[in-house]
């Protein structure tokens, strides 16, 4: 590394004016004040030190087998591709993207329901018999039944208005959500088990999800469209760069020896 002949002309390291300004701006962003002349000089010397060691390390091949460096350089190249300007889409492009990717923007079903809750903790020994008794009462009841009088208090309340399937899953669990999403509205049904205990459910309203009109979700569609264009640009850049190389994949020595022996 240090034994190179000294007769060669030294390589030039240029610390450009924009680079100096960028170093100063970094201090301003971090400390909210301009660096002093000495502080700026120290930053420049540190940049030069980095550049010297970086160039000499590359010349010595120290970067070739370093997975961290290779990954970081790859990330920067991918960022370069992502930074390529993406033109502003028109309505026709957004509408076509929405039609081609409806599942990304489809709204979930929403439910409004009440429930009578039987706590597995409070009714550890009687929950099955209590459940049968409550089922008999609710078979003749309507939505106006006093849920707290029949069951136990529930931390999240007795009524849920306009909740999505995802929210029901997060609050009650996946099995509970699947059961009530398949229920018909207008009558008490159950019991439905959850991690808390058993529930009797009355669905008063179901709003089916669907694909909203473009005007309602324009920002989300524009964001997804732009992201797709960036990924496409990155893939095109990689494909064009890859064509410059002849790719040779050698078999590991053990496998090559095994193949030769056959």
């Amino acid at each position: 590394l240090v034994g190179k002949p000294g007769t060669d002309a030294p390589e030039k390291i240029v610390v450009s004016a924009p680079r100096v300004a960028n170093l100063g701006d970094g201090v301003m962003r971090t400390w909210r004040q301009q660096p002093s002349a000495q502080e700026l000089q120290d930053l420049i010397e540190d940049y030069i030190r980095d550049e010297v060691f970086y160039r000499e390390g590359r010349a010595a091949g120290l970067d070739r087998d370093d997975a961290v460096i290779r990954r970081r350089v790859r990330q920067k190249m991918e960022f370069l591709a992502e930074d390529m300007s993406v033109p502003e889409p028109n309505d026709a492009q957004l509408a076509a993207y929405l039609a081609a990717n409806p599942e990304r923007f489809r709204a979930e079903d929403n439910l409004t329901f009440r429930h009578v809750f039987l706590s597995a903790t409070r009714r550890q020994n009687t929950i099955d018999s209590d459940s049968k008794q409550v089922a008999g009462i609710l078979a003749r009841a309507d939505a106006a039944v006093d849920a707290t009088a029949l069951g136990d208090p529930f931390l999240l309340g007795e009524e849920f208005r306009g909740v999505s399937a995802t929210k029901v899953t997060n609050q009650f669990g996946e099995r509970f959500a699947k059961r009530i999403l398949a229920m018909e509205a207008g009558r008490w049904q159950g019991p439905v088990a959850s991690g808390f205990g058993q529930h009797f459910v009355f669905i008063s309203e179901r709003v089916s999800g669907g694909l909203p009109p473009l005007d309602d979700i324009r920002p989300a569609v524009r964001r997804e469209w732009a992201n797709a264009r960036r990924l496409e640009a990155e893939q095109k850049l990689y494909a064009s760069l890859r064509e410059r190389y002849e790719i040779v994949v050698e078999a590991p020595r053990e496998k090559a020896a095994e193949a030769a022996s056959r």
Side-chain angles (χ1 to χ4, degrees), residues 18 24 37 171 218 238 250:
Q171 293 180 337
R218 184 181 301 276
Y238 169 68
E250 297 181 342

Side-chain angles (χ1 to χ4, degrees), residues 167-182:
K167 190 170 184 179
V168 174
T169 300
N170 292 338
Q171 293 180 337
F172 293 92
E174 187 174 356
R175 287 192 300 172
F176 179 95
K178 285 183 177 180
R179 282 284 306 277
I180 74 165
L181 286 171

Side-chain angles (χ1 to χ4, degrees), residues 182-242:
M183 287 180 177
E184 62 181 272
R187 66 185 182 91
W188 285 100
Q189 296 172 80
V192 182
S194 75
F196 307 106
Q198 294 186 3
H199 309 255
F200 290 86
V201 179
F202 187 101
I203 298 175
S204 57
E205 184 181 24
R206 182 193 305 274
V207 178
S208 297
L211 193 61
L214 175 60
D215 287 343
D216 291 352
I217 53 172
R218 184 181 301 276
V221 177
R222 182 188 292 112
R223 183 173 58 250
E224 291 294 322
W225 180 91
N227 185 57
R229 297 290 79 75
R230 281 193 292 269
L231 292 176
E232 182 181 341
E234 178 187 319
Q235 185 58 33
K236 286 183 178 179
L237 174 62
Y238 169 68
S240 64
L241 294 175
R242 197 180 192 279

Side-chain angles (χ1 to χ4, degrees), residues 9 19 28-29 32 40 44 72 84 92 95 103 108 123 152 156 164 169 173 186 188 190 194 198 215 223 226 240:
R19 172 65 66 182
M28 187 64 187
R29 287 192 299 269
R32 302 290 187 237
L40 185 58
I44 294 172
R72 183 60 179 158
M84 293 178 178
E103 294 307 319
E108 294 185 90
R123 303 171 185 260
D152 301 312
L156 300 176
S164 67
T169 300
W188 285 100
S194 75
Q198 294 186 3
D215 287 343
R223 183 173 58 250
S240 64

Side-chain angles (χ1 to χ4, degrees), residues 82-111:
E82 290 179 4
D83 285 341
M84 293 178 178
S85 59
V86 177
E88 187 67 19
N90 56 42
D91 279 0
Q93 290 172 311
L94 292 180
Y97 186 81
L98 178 59
N101 302 275
E103 294 307 319
R104 295 190 181 186
F105 307 98
R106 192 179 302 279
E108 294 185 90
D109 291 353
N110 285 337
L111 297 177

Side-chain angles (χ1 to χ4, degrees), residues 18-154:
R19 172 65 66 182
V20 174
N22 187 57
L23 293 173
D25 289 343
V27 175
M28 187 64 187
R29 287 192 299 269
T30 303
W31 302 105
R32 302 290 187 237
Q33 63 181 25
Q34 292 291 347
S36 66
Q38 184 59 52
E39 288 172 337
L40 185 58
Q41 185 59 39
D42 291 342
L43 290 171
I44 294 172
E45 289 297 330
D46 191 58
Y47 172 80
I48 294 172
R49 181 185 180 89
D50 279 349
E51 187 67 17
V52 168
F53 278 121
Y54 172 71
R55 293 189 185 190
E56 294 300 319
R58 284 195 60 192
L62 301 182
D63 61 322
R64 293 172 191 161
D65 298 318
D66 192 311
V68 175
I69 293 177
R70 289 166 60 89
R71 191 176 301 116
R72 183 60 179 158
V73 172
R74 170 183 166 174
Q75 288 173 345
K76 285 196 170 187
M77 289 295 294
E78 291 173 344
F79 291 155
L80 176 64
E82 290 179 4
D83 285 341
M84 293 178 178
S85 59
V86 177
E88 187 67 19
N90 56 42
D91 279 0
Q93 290 172 311
L94 292 180
Y97 186 81
L98 178 59
N101 302 275
E103 294 307 319
R104 295 190 181 186
F105 307 98
R106 192 179 302 279
E108 294 185 90
D109 291 353
N110 285 337
L111 297 177
T112 295
F113 67 92
R114 302 181 71 233
H115 71 129
V116 173
F117 171 59
L118 302 181
S119 170
T121 303
R122 291 189 178 191
R123 303 171 185 260
Q124 186 173 4
N125 299 319
T126 63
I127 191 168
D128 289 336
S129 59
D130 292 348
S131 179
K132 291 179 181 178
Q133 183 179 359
V134 171
I137 296 172
L138 291 176
R140 303 181 298 274
D142 57 19
V145 69
D146 188 350
T148 56
L150 280 179
D152 301 312
F154 189 67

